[in-house]
Every structure is written in structure tokens, then in C-alpha cells.
Amino acid sequence: MEKKPENRGMIDTWIDKHRSIYSAATRHAFVVSIRDGSVDLSSFRTWLGQDYLFVRGFVPFVASVLIRACKDSGESSDMEVVLGGLASLNDEIEWFKREGSKWDVDFSTVVPQNANQEYRRFLDALMSSEVKYAVIMTAFWAIEAVYQESFAHCLEDGNKTPVGLTGACHRWGNDGFKQYCSSVKNIAERCLENASGEVLVEAEDVLVRVLEHEVAFWEMSRGGQ
Ligand SMILES: Cc1ncc(CO)c(N)n1
């Protein structure tokens, strides 16, 4: 076997290339406002309700990633990584319900806004069996990594994150979640190493589109209502 090159993978190369949209997604004004304590609580409540709906729609997507990890990966540990992600979504839904009562957000009356619906449609399209495993894994990594990077930022030194919001920040900003994102990234990178030029083009495009959807999602949250 050839030795794996020690240089950086495709994902880091793409992030460098698309640095401005990557920063827009991971250092959005909404996230920065959580970190500096200036966050508008109506925005937080909007985010909470919309993200609860998003996560419910994310479950079937992750379930489809799990099936692909079992069938298409050729690497038995992929399944375990994705299964761990799916299991933590179970806790996450319970967490959302507790936060919903804490912040007085009644999820049964929350209507998905445009950005949420469009993100959902994008995920639905990725669930097609036509989409290559490397492309799905790249998207999956990006979706998780944006939240990891964003919320970890709210916990870094010098933060003024309001105490009531640190629960949300720990949920995605904790080291276990960081580790999990890094495992997903390794899977994606391994697949990309062997991918055709065509698949690479598609994976890069999907990565950028995830970042765009994430920015739109933060924008929607900041808009309140
Ligand atoms: C919008 C959005 N992106 C990503 C995640 C999880 O990483 C989430 N809960 N919501």
C-alpha cells in the first residue's frame, strides 16, 4: 500500500478556497452575538423553534447516511461513527423539548420559514441513491462542523455568553462533538482521495451549498419572529 500523503486533504483545501463563506457560516453575527452576550432573545427563540424542526428533518437524512455507510463504505467503522451521530440526535430532540419549555417556545405552533424549508429540500435531494457516498459524507461533515465551530466559539476564552445559553453552546461546542466531527471528516477525506474528478466537483459544490444554507439559517434566526 502506498503511504497516505501527510499533506492536507481536499476539505481543508476547499475551505481555504471558500474561506469567506466558511467564515460567514461559522462566525455569523448571530453566533457572535451569543458569544458577546448581546444576543436578542427573540432571535434565540426563533433559532430554537426553527432548529427543532430542522433536526427532526435531519434525522431521516442521517438515517440515510447510516444506510449508505453500511452498504457503500467498505469500511466497517463508518457505520459506528454515523450510528453515534444518530444516537446523539435522540438526546438532542429531548434537549430541544426541555429548552422549548424553558424559553416558552411551543414547537407545535412553529412554522418552518423559507430558509428552513429550502435546507430541508436540499437534504432530501442528497438522500437520492444517485448521490455518491463521498459527496454525502462531505455534506454531512459540513452540516455538523458549522455547528461545532460556531458554538465552540461561544465557549472560547473571553466569551460573555449568557448563562442560559451555555447549554446550547455545550451541546455542539463540546470536545466529544468535535471528535465526532473529526471522525466524519476523516471518512469524507478517505472517500475523496479515491474519488473521480467529477465527484470532486460535486463534493466541492455541495460543501459550498451547505455553507450557504447555514448562513441563510443564521440570517433567518437573527431576523427574529
Ligand atoms: C441548521 C443546522 N445545521 C446543523 C445542525 C447540526 O449540526 C443543526 N442542528 N442545525
Side-chain angles (χ1 to χ4, degrees), residues 31-37 153-161:
V31 168
V32 172
S33 78
I34 294 176
R35 181 189 153 81
D36 70 18
H153 182 57
C154 300
L155 298 172
E156 279 165 10
D157 284 355
N159 76 76
K160 298 192 185 77
T161 300

Side-chain angles (χ1 to χ4, degrees), residues 51 54-55 58 92 96 119 143-144 147 172 177 214 217:
D51 211 45
F54 175 85
V55 167
F58 191 48
E92 201 162 300
F96 269 104
Y119 205 168
I143 295 165
E144 299 287 46
Y147 263 45
W172 291 277
F177 195 71
E214 290 289 340
F217 203 93

Side-chain angles (χ1 to χ4, degrees), residues 81-208:
V81 172
V82 183
L83 185 59
L86 198 54
S88 67
L89 285 176
N90 184 36
D91 296 341
E92 201 162 300
I93 286 178
E94 293 310 312
W95 175 83
F96 269 104
K97 289 179 182 164
R98 289 194 303 274
E99 285 292 294
S101 15
K102 178 169 139 191
W103 295 100
D104 217 14
V105 178
D106 178 1
F107 293 140
S108 69
T109 63
V110 176
V111 177
Q113 293 190 32
N114 272 344
N116 207 349
Q117 287 179 354
E118 281 162 23
Y119 205 168
R120 261 293 272 290
R121 272 197 286 275
F122 170 78
L123 291 185
D124 284 347
L126 283 178
M127 287 164 66
S128 152
S129 58
E130 316 268 286
V131 181
K132 294 287 187 293
Y133 186 59
V135 174
I136 292 175
M137 277 298 171
T138 304
F140 184 42
W141 171 78
I143 295 165
E144 299 287 46
V146 166
Y147 263 45
Q148 194 277 317
E149 286 246 356
S150 298
F151 286 109
H153 182 57
C154 300
L155 298 172
E156 279 165 10
D157 284 355
N159 76 76
K160 298 192 185 77
T161 300
V163 183
L165 305 193
T166 53
C169 302
H170 280 289
R171 174 145 291 279
W172 291 277
N174 75 77
D175 282 343
F177 195 71
K178 184 175 184 172
Q179 197 47 55
Y180 158 71
C181 290
S182 151
S183 303
V184 175
K185 189 181 189 187
N186 289 338
I187 295 172
E189 287 290 7
R190 185 196 75 228
C191 299
L192 292 167
E193 265 175 38
N194 304 311
S196 68
E198 202 180 322
V199 170
L200 291 179
V201 168
E202 210 183 312
E204 181 178 359
D205 178 61
V206 154
L207 171 64
V208 173

